[in-house]
Amino acid sequence: MVNQVQVRNPRTGKIDYFITPPTATEIAAKCVGLRTAQIEWQQLGREKRVEAIQQWKKAILSDQEKLTKALVNDTGRLRESRIEIDSVINSIDRWCNLAPDLLATGETKTTKIPFIQLQNQLVPYQLVGIISPWNFPLLLSLIDAIPALLAGCAVIVKPSEITPRFIEPLLETIVTIPLLQDIFTYIEGAGETGASLIEYVDFICFTGSVATGKKVAEAAAKKFIPACLELGGKDPAIVLESADLELATSAILWGSVVNAGQSCLSIERIYVAEPIFTEFITKLTEKAKSLKLTYPHIESGEIGPIISDKQADIITEHLEDAVSKDAVIHCGGNVEKLDGGFWCLPTVVSQVNHNMKIMTEETFGPIIPVMSFTTVEEAVRLANDTIYGLTAAVFAGSQTEALAVASQINAGGISINDAGLTALINEGEKNSFKFSGLGNSRMGADGMKRFLRKKAILTKVNSIPNPWWFD
């Protein structure tokens, strides 16, 4: 018997929602149905698939209010929930515009042997499984699903059990599109459900922690299926002496606390040139103090609640560890419990080093530890002293100076004189370094092409007898 999973409300702390995960048998049966329907979906061709996805976009827009309400209950925030829906709509349009060119197979070509012709076919993986996280529950459940669907795959998504309320209203939009309802679905569940799902799909996409990502990679390897993993980050920012401090402090603050720091692209450690360190800390602290919680009213302030109670414990642990090792708190500094929800104001921390968890482990909160450096070589060494390599940022007075540093940082995406640009600029293909991920880029053309296998059709076009190559 499958036990119900209790779901906590991040603003109230109350258990006010329950999910009943499907059994392995139910997952297997659902996947069989998706596979059967995928054949017709693939045969529709790219134009018809684009048309169906555009119809679905209209259904989302029609039910936007209901979906927003579910996301607010999942995450405890309003502004970011609206942004999530807008981002999904933009993603649908972008991929629909790109699909015709990306899915074109091209003309038959003559090879170096004149009587042998080559034609490439693109064959989608039949069933793509997606396991998505809780920090942006709607957006990150669809960031892989949309290009996979347009490529001709059937898709099944297992979102986080921490934020499952949005599933029902989203499914209601999907079933209004006859061409989508049999090839695209969601299932509820926790870790066991995700593990079971891997057994029945042909390709797995996972976004989440390194620890779980390793388990997904091992399970995929045993099944001999491809896996695309986007995992944790401890993203650094380097601020050189020539940097514009007004720009740097504003960008780094935004990059550190957007969504209360609950983003894999958050700036989680800052290295500042010694001559400007004091001024940087002063400006950053002043700006951080101006930000308020979205409490008690959800439309007030900028900093939402910590969505996961377990994450609240990690943030507290990292702050306590740093303070016990003589770190200095300039503002913020603790996780508060207000009406059952967990909240944390932007927290600027100095006198930090790499013996502290706050500088080496993923914190995933609005925590901004700042450390000084004396040479550029030291800054680069500190930025690369990590098991992660997702994104980074460099601030300098000239593009040449910034690029020279960026080229030495081991991370998949580097923002120059800003933060988090890889979340905004979708054209930039990037791969994660180290334990931050595995597999093809989900950005740029690769974001769709990874769901397609290339088949080479080689045709002999005259009557030269075999074995001609021995003549």
Side-chain angles (χ1 to χ4, degrees):
M1 182 178 177
V2 178
N3 293 323
Q4 277 193 326
V5 177
Q6 297 180 338
V7 184
R8 174 184 164 275
N9 186 302
R11 290 190 74 90
T12 67
K14 295 179 180 178
I15 302 300
D16 60 5
Y17 195 84
F18 301 87
I19 60 176
T20 302
T23 64
T25 301
E26 289 169 335
I27 295 172
K30 195 175 288 285
C31 289
V32 168
L34 290 164
R35 285 181 185 282
T36 301
Q38 183 273 339
I39 297 170
E40 183 179 349
W41 175 247
Q42 179 184 344
Q43 291 173 346
L44 281 174
R46 57 186 186 270
E47 289 83 6
K48 289 291 185 183
R49 293 198 295 271
V50 166
E51 194 177 299
I53 297 297
Q54 282 292 324
Q55 289 173 356
W56 177 47
K57 181 189 79 173
K58 293 177 182 177
I60 294 173
L61 290 170
S62 295
D63 229 358
Q64 189 169 354
E65 187 175 339
K66 190 173 183 179
L67 189 55
T68 301
K69 183 178 179 180
L71 282 171
V72 167
N73 288 330
D74 271 333
T75 64
R77 72 207 179 190
L78 179 59
R79 182 188 300 107
E80 291 88 344
S81 296
R82 289 171 174 163
I83 290 172
E84 274 198 78
I85 295 175
D86 289 343
S87 297
V88 166
I89 297 304
N90 291 335
S91 181
I92 288 174
D93 284 339
R94 180 172 59 86
W95 283 120
C96 284
N97 289 333
L98 292 172
D101 288 336
L102 293 179
L103 300 177
T105 54
E107 299 178 357
T108 300
K109 301 175 182 177
T110 300
T111 67
K112 65 179 180 179
I113 301 171
F115 52 85
I116 303 294
Q117 292 183 340
L118 167 66
Q119 184 181 26
N120 277 121
Q121 290 183 354
L122 299 175
V123 183
Y125 288 93
Q126 194 168 14
L127 181 56
V128 171
I130 296 171
I131 302 173
S132 57
W134 49 261
N135 55 324
F136 290 98
L138 174 69
L139 178 61
L140 292 181
S141 76
L142 291 172
I143 194 169
D144 300 310
I146 293 166
L149 288 166
L150 287 166
C153 311
V155 175
I156 181 169
V157 186
K158 200 294 288 183
S160 171
E161 68 278 14
I162 295 173
T163 51
R165 298 170 183 83
F166 79 97
I167 297 174
E168 183 178 344
L170 187 65
L171 279 174
E172 288 175 1
T173 68
I174 293 171
V175 298
T176 64
I177 312 301
L179 290 175
L180 280 185
Q181 62 181 354
D182 294 328
I183 53 92
F184 181 32
T185 196
Y186 279 64
I187 55 173
E188 298 176 330
E192 288 183 5
T193 302
S196 183
L197 179 63
I198 297 171
E199 295 295 314
Y200 304 106
V201 298
D202 306 306
F203 190 119
I204 189 71
C205 296
F206 173 81
T207 306
S209 70
V210 171
T212 305
K214 287 181 179 180
K215 295 177 181 178
V216 171
E218 290 170 0
K222 289 178 181 177
K223 284 285 295 177
F224 211 66
I225 63 172
C228 278
L229 314 174
E230 182 159 307
L231 310 180
K234 191 71 179 174
D235 296 357
I238 294 176
V239 184
L240 301 180
E241 188 175 354
S242 62
D244 179 335
L245 290 191
E246 279 298 328
L247 183 152
T249 50
S250 292
I252 286 172
L253 179 61
W254 177 86
S256 301
V257 305
V258 66
N259 195 33
Q262 298 165 110
S263 168
C264 53
L265 301 180
S266 287
I267 297 295
E268 290 215 2
R269 50 198 174 103
I270 299 97
Y271 304 98
V272 179
E274 180 64 39
I276 61 171
F277 182 79
T278 300
E279 185 179 359
F280 179 91
I281 285 284
T282 300
K283 286 182 178 291
L284 181 65
T285 302
E286 180 183 343
K287 292 177 180 180
K289 285 180 177 178
S290 70
L291 300 181
K292 308 299 180 186
L293 302 176
T294 62
Y295 174 88
H297 304 295
I298 197 168
E299 296 195 48
S300 64
E302 300 83 17
I303 309 298
I306 306 303
I307 298 170
S308 165
D309 54 349
K310 292 180 181 178
Q311 202 63 47
D313 291 340
I314 291 171
I315 295 168
T316 298
E317 178 190 351
H318 286 193
L319 286 171
E320 289 177 349
D321 174 72
V323 170
S324 73
K325 295 172 182 175
D326 300 324
V328 175
I329 304 290
H330 295 264
C331 60
N334 64 289
V335 175
E336 303 175 78
K337 193 169 186 180
L338 303 171
D339 288 344
F342 293 102
W343 304 79
C344 185
L345 283 164
T347 300
V348 177
V349 191
S350 67
Q351 301 300 312
V352 293
N353 58 58
H354 281 218
N355 292 321
M356 300 175 182
K357 294 178 180 180
I358 205 171
M359 293 297 284
T360 57
E361 298 181 11
E362 188 172 35
T363 307
F364 224 60
I367 311 303
I368 318 169
V370 190
M371 183 176 176
S372 66
F373 65 84
T374 55
T375 66
V376 172
E377 291 75 18
E378 181 189 9
V380 171
R381 177 181 60 78
L382 289 167
N384 289 335
D385 181 24
T386 178
I387 66 169
Y388 300 105
L390 196 58
T391 70
V394 178
F395 294 82
S398 74
Q399 186 175 340
T400 301
E401 190 180 11
L403 288 172
V405 174
S407 67
Q408 301 176 66
I409 298 176
N410 298 325
I414 316 292
S415 298
I416 302 295
N417 286 331
D418 211 331
L421 292 180
T422 56
L424 304 175
I425 307 302
N426 304 116
E427 297 93 326
E429 293 188 358
K430 62 185 179 70
N431 297 114
S432 300
F433 284 51
K434 304 178 184 178
F435 282 107
S436 280
L438 190 67
N440 291 5
S441 174
R442 61 167 37 149
M443 302 296 179
D446 248 15
M448 182 174 290
K449 288 183 175 180
R450 62 194 163 134
F451 298 114
L452 299 160
R453 292 158 292 182
K454 287 184 178 178
K455 182 188 290 186
I457 308 295
L458 300 162
T459 305
K460 188 171 72 171
V461 295
N462 65 23
S463 57
I464 292 177
N466 282 327
W468 57 268
W469 52 84
F470 287 130
D471 291 346

